Amino acid sequence: MIKTLPITVLVHEGPIARAYLSRMRQAKLQPGAIILLVYSHNSRGKNLVGRYLPRIVRPWYAEKHQEVSQNYWPRRLKHDYPLLFDTIAKSLGPITENPDSLLKQMQGKFNYADFTEGEVTKVYIRTLKDPILLDRIKHSIHPTFIYTGGGIVPSEVLSLPGIRFIHTHPGHLPHVRGADGLLWSTLVRGRPGASCFFLDEGIDTGPIIAAEDYPAITFQIPGGMLRPDDKTLYRAVFSYYDPILRAEALIKTLNQSIDLPKLPGKNQDHSLGVTYHFMHPLVYGEALSRLFISE
């Protein structure tokens, strides 16, 4: 029996959203509704996607383009480095159940309607400030949202009355905030951490729902395999390890919550912890050397 939760998943296409929904299905949970964001412009918001196509087909093309581009690296890495993919999948066992099947489902054909019995609404927008998105959020039947990434949520959205956004961060809050949280946790805490919290206008500063550390794991590069360069390993971390870690933290929170609409959060002590920035390649090279061990 699948349990329907009174939440709406705000989907930004990619590994994180797919990990959340795949792990929910594995745990026999599903959201009451899904809103799929389809961006009319590229990631920088300047160029119209499919600008030479008739207006009527642009949303369809933008959705297809988004699906391919946002899932490019997970699929490419699995194809080009199958032994690395298998090693990562097997090594994630201490964090989640059946990581191999989760990762494969995330990269296959993904029909969002299969993950909810409620409505899947596609919203064609340029930015998160678009009035059509604000209207859909404001009138959602489930005002508790799971945010799956895609940039900083603007104040226009966060200030909507009665609306709350749950976000999962790959770091133990308040100790590790900001970008590349999983790699910073590896360097400064020696183990991964993850936290669920309510979004506010700061960077990972909202009230904490749950935060914990996870077992430290390493990935053994198979003997005889040439070690991939750091950029490839960095992409592998955020294609596979990071989404699975976030999804597991989210599922623990959802499973332990009796009344999601009234889920409490504890305000952070902002004097604690550090807000980190994206790592310089030399720094993430050090973190990756601790994660990926060559025989």
Side-chain angles (χ1 to χ4, degrees):
M1 177 75 68
I2 296 178
K3 180 180 179 181
T4 299
L5 303 175
I7 56 175
T8 301
V9 177
L10 189 65
V11 169
H12 180 271
E13 175 64 85
I16 293 174
R18 291 181 172 217
Y20 288 177
L21 291 169
S22 296
R23 184 66 181 91
M24 287 178 70
R25 170 183 278 184
Q26 188 185 69
K28 300 188 182 305
L29 302 172
Q30 65 180 2
I34 293 173
I35 295 178
L36 173 61
L37 305 177
V38 179
Y39 286 91
S40 61
H41 288 66
N42 64 10
S43 59
R44 297 184 179 179
K46 295 181 178 180
N47 296 323
L48 182 67
V49 177
R51 60 186 181 276
Y52 299 118
L53 296 175
R55 185 184 299 270
I56 193 171
V57 300
R58 284 178 191 163
W60 171 86
Y61 179 80
E63 182 182 350
K64 300 301 179 184
H65 177 272
Q66 182 173 274
E67 194 278 336
V68 171
S69 63
Q70 295 300 318
N71 296 291
Y72 174 80
W73 283 114
R75 291 168 178 163
R76 174 70 182 272
L77 293 171
K78 182 177 183 296
H79 178 271
D80 291 353
Y81 300 92
L83 293 179
L84 178 65
F85 175 86
D86 290 342
T87 295
I88 292 174
K90 292 175 183 177
S91 300
L92 291 175
I95 290 179
T96 194
E97 298 179 13
N98 301 316
D100 183 67
S101 63
L102 282 176
L103 289 171
K104 288 178 179 177
Q105 182 177 65
M106 288 161 55
Q107 296 173 62
K109 292 183 179 180
F110 211 86
N111 182 2
Y112 284 99
D114 293 339
F115 292 87
T116 179
E117 292 182 356
E119 183 180 9
V120 177
T121 305
K122 297 177 182 179
V123 183
Y124 186 58
I125 60 172
R126 181 166 184 167
T127 73
L128 293 174
K129 295 181 181 181
D130 276 19
I132 185 173
L133 176 59
L134 269 64
D135 184 70
R136 290 298 176 91
I137 292 175
K138 186 188 304 181
H139 294 99
S140 175
I141 190 172
H142 303 298
T144 299
F145 284 77
I146 303 296
Y147 182 62
T148 62
I152 297 175
V153 180
S155 59
E156 292 90 336
V157 175
L158 293 175
S159 62
L160 291 173
I163 303 296
R164 299 195 301 175
F165 290 87
I166 298 173
H167 185 42
T168 306
H169 170 69
H172 193 302
L173 294 176
H175 307 294
V176 177
R177 296 186 291 266
D180 284 347
L182 179 49
L183 294 181
W184 282 116
S185 294
T186 299
L187 280 183
V188 303
R189 292 176 62 82
R191 58 197 183 279
S195 308
C196 287
F197 68 102
F198 291 113
L199 286 177
D200 63 9
E201 294 188 27
I203 298 177
D204 303 327
T205 56
I208 298 172
I209 303 167
E212 65 176 296
D213 292 312
Y214 283 79
I217 61 174
T218 57
F219 307 108
Q220 193 78 34
I221 302 292
M225 175 184 170
L226 182 65
R227 183 184 178 90
D229 60 70
D230 284 347
K231 185 172 288 187
T232 297
L233 296 176
Y234 180 89
R235 288 168 174 157
V237 166
F238 292 99
S239 293
Y240 312 130
Y241 186 10
D242 177 277
I244 292 296
L245 177 67
R246 292 180 191 242
E248 189 61 28
L250 176 63
I251 290 303
K252 285 187 177 182
T253 296
L254 297 178
N255 270 330
Q256 295 171 7
S257 302
I258 299 174
D259 190 351
L260 281 171
K262 296 181 180 178
L263 192 64
K266 181 180 179 181
N267 289 335
Q268 293 189 44
D269 182 348
H270 296 157
S271 68
L272 299 176
V274 176
T275 299
Y276 293 93
H277 299 282
F278 285 107
M279 284 184 166
H280 185 279
L282 292 177
V283 181
Y284 72 59
E286 175 61 27
L288 293 170
S289 71
R290 301 186 187 187
L291 283 176
F292 293 91
I293 310 300
S294 298
E295 291 183 354

